[in-house]
Amino acid sequence: MPQSLHTDICDKIRFSKLYEKYAQTLSNILLYKYGDLLNPSDKVQEAFIKLWENCSKVKPEAVKTYLYTTATNMMLNEVKHQKVVFKHQEVKPKDYTNESPEFVMRKKEFLQRFEHVLSKLKEEERAAFMLSKVDGKTHKEVAEILGITKKVAEHRIYAAFKKLKNELEELN
């Protein structure tokens, strides 16, 4: 069993190392699952604040689980809140652009098709694909982040890529 990174998470130096180890990856996972509109990096910060407030209660081996669970729950609460907000207001896009109308239309159509196809992927395929292709993680790193084997990570990434490619080619 690998030696724990920390023994007392209430120590400022060890807590800082925990932040360096988990913050960016957790932020990326939340970004891929829930999007940028819900401020995933803020939820990661809030999760670390809660961890600091409860550092004496959290066992060192449960830190990662505590952070991921706390941040995910915060995101889910924000999703619920945003549903209420969107019922009461409309988000209006900007009315101007320097690009040609044809380019804007084609870009918008492609983006809609891409997002639609991406949303049809299984969550585990989408997360693995985004970690690999957007975040530039290796297959081994993706496997470690998602808690799966390297072969399963490779399969999910290639399956997502194949589905995206096939769906987007059919739409042309």
Side-chain angles (χ1 to χ4, degrees):
M1 179 173 198
Q3 190 175 17
S4 180
L5 172 68
H6 47 279
T7 54
D8 178 15
I9 61 174
C10 293
D11 178 59
K12 289 181 183 179
I13 295 171
R14 290 192 177 106
F15 190 84
S16 176
K17 288 183 181 182
L18 284 171
Y19 183 84
E20 290 172 7
K21 182 175 181 181
Y22 295 120
Q24 186 63 48
T25 302
L26 179 55
S27 181
N28 290 342
I29 289 172
L30 294 177
L31 173 69
Y32 301 149
K33 281 187 172 184
Y34 301 103
D36 194 31
L37 292 176
L38 301 177
N39 299 322
S41 57
D42 289 351
K43 302 305 181 270
V44 171
Q45 294 291 330
E46 291 174 30
F48 273 96
I49 290 170
K50 283 191 179 246
L51 177 62
W52 182 253
E53 291 169 350
N54 297 309
C55 66
S56 61
K57 300 175 188 172
V58 179
K59 294 180 182 177
E61 52 278 354
V63 168
K64 183 177 179 181
T65 304
Y66 180 86
L67 286 170
Y68 280 57
T69 303
T70 302
T72 300
N73 288 341
M74 288 178 180
M75 288 300 287
L76 291 173
N77 289 339
E78 185 67 22
V79 167
K80 289 178 188 175
H81 174 70
Q82 287 301 321
K83 286 181 182 179
V84 173
V85 170
F86 284 135
K87 284 182 181 178
H88 294 92
Q89 75 180 29
E90 273 185 33
V91 176
K92 296 182 181 178
K94 65 180 184 177
D95 294 336
Y96 62 90
T97 182
N98 294 335
E99 299 162 337
S100 73
E102 180 184 350
F103 178 79
V104 172
M105 183 182 73
R106 293 181 71 201
K107 185 169 99 174
K108 186 176 178 181
E109 287 174 355
F110 181 80
L111 185 59
Q112 288 173 342
R113 291 187 300 193
F114 180 76
E115 287 175 350
H116 175 71
V117 173
L118 197 59
S119 71
K120 288 177 21 180
L121 293 175
K122 296 177 186 172
E123 183 179 325
E124 54 269 359
E125 289 176 344
R126 182 174 48 253
F129 178 80
M130 297 295 280
L131 284 168
S132 173
K133 301 304 178 191
V134 176
D135 203 34
K137 300 284 186 190
T138 64
H139 293 172
K140 183 179 178 182
E141 291 171 327
V142 171
E144 289 173 2
I145 291 168
L146 298 176
I148 55 177
T149 66
K150 182 180 173 192
K151 281 290 187 189
V152 172
E154 290 172 355
H155 175 73
R156 288 180 182 176
I157 292 165
Y158 291 126
F161 183 73
K162 185 177 179 182
K163 289 176 184 176
L164 283 168
K165 183 180 173 193
N166 290 338
E167 291 286 327
L168 292 174
E169 282 179 355
E170 287 177 10
L171 296 174
N172 284 334

